[in-house]
Amino acid sequence: MATWSDRPPSTSVSARRFERPYGRRAALGLGWMSLGVVIAAVLVPAVALAQTAILDRILAIVDGQIIMHSDVRAFIDLGLVDIRAGPSQEAEVLTWLIERQVVIDQVDRFVVAEPDSGTVDRRLDHVRSQLPGDSDLELILDRVGLAPDDLRQLIVDDIRRDAYLADRFEVVADGLREAAIGDWMADLVRRAQVRRVSGTGSAPGSPNFGH
């Protein structure tokens, strides 16, 4: 299992690297500007930065791996998770992503092989085919801040995850497998270092509420 220091906190579960929203502002060359322009130059970035913080924020950290609100939206908008729309959808998807991450840590620990490109291409075609008729994959990727390679990596991880779970629970009877996997993942989450950011936790009654 990865520890807090094993994974750099500069990447999210969507393999997206964070960049500072604004570079360092130049301190020189402002002497000719009017007071109003100077105030605007200071306040506009501050307002934009506040809007950025509202639009995207950290929801949880799982063994050092960051889960952003945009990650939750990415999995929903791309149809990568089968959770119905509703008032608790984002909280349920966050719980699902936490569970996904602890399983991916196990997959990495046991060095599950990556799928061949053909298998990834077929899964990608399936993702594209499940989008609503008027939705364009590239537009969705742009909206959620992912590159095509980021999506491919998510698919690779999901295929490896599926293969690992199928192998680990192969001997469990079909009617009992889903419950066995759920219990095992819940135990992984209990033993992991999971930090939910205040105000973004699961709905009361969910397995990870307040964890």
Side-chain angles (χ1 to χ4, degrees), residues 87-103:
S88 64
Q89 184 187 40
E90 289 192 358
E92 292 179 31
V93 172
L94 174 59
T95 294
W96 186 89
L97 285 175
I98 290 171
E99 294 171 344
R100 175 185 183 273
Q101 186 57 48
V102 295
V103 175

Side-chain angles (χ1 to χ4, degrees), residues 35-113:
L35 179 60
V37 174
V38 172
I39 293 174
V42 172
L43 291 183
V44 170
V47 172
L49 184 57
Q51 290 174 338
T52 299
I54 294 172
L55 290 174
D56 202 5
R57 61 191 186 278
I58 296 174
L59 299 187
I61 304 174
V62 183
D63 285 331
Q65 193 78 357
I66 292 171
I67 300 178
M68 304 291 294
H69 180 253
S70 56
D71 295 323
V72 170
R73 291 310 319 172
F75 275 78
I76 292 173
D77 294 351
L78 291 167
L80 299 177
V81 59
D82 185 20
I83 294 177
R84 289 187 177 184
S88 64
Q89 184 187 40
E90 289 192 358
E92 292 179 31
V93 172
L94 174 59
T95 294
W96 186 89
L97 285 175
I98 290 171
E99 294 171 344
R100 175 185 183 273
Q101 186 57 48
V102 295
V103 175
I104 293 296
D105 285 344
Q106 292 293 304
V107 168
D108 291 339
R109 177 184 175 189
F110 290 99
V111 196
V112 178

Side-chain angles (χ1 to χ4, degrees), residues 11-32:
T11 58
S12 75
V13 296
S14 297
R16 166 181 23 219
R17 288 199 171 273
F18 303 124
E19 297 178 356
R20 295 182 183 275
Y22 300 96
R24 176 177 294 180
R25 293 183 54 79
L28 303 177
L30 297 179
W32 57 271

Side-chain angles (χ1 to χ4, degrees), residues 168-190:
R168 184 180 183 93
F169 293 92
E170 180 181 12
V171 298
V172 180
D174 291 344
L176 303 175
R177 186 173 298 125
E178 183 175 350
I181 292 174
D183 290 343
W184 174 75
M185 287 194 297
D187 183 62
L188 285 181
V189 172
R190 281 192 295 269

Side-chain angles (χ1 to χ4, degrees), residues 134-200:
D134 59 347
S135 297
D136 181 86
L137 178 59
E138 284 68 31
L139 290 178
I140 295 176
L141 289 175
D142 184 64
R143 184 171 71 241
V144 299
L146 294 180
D149 285 346
D150 296 331
L151 176 58
R152 286 190 70 89
Q153 185 58 56
L154 290 177
I155 290 173
V156 166
D157 287 341
D158 281 345
I159 294 173
R160 295 172 68 226
R161 172 183 176 272
D162 293 346
Y164 177 78
L165 292 175
D167 181 67
R168 184 180 183 93
F169 293 92
E170 180 181 12
V171 298
V172 180
D174 291 344
L176 303 175
R177 186 173 298 125
E178 183 175 350
I181 292 174
D183 290 343
W184 174 75
M185 287 194 297
D187 183 62
L188 285 181
V189 172
R190 281 192 295 269
R191 292 188 286 113
Q193 291 177 310
V194 178
R195 180 187 302 170
R196 290 178 182 268
V197 175
S198 177
T200 61

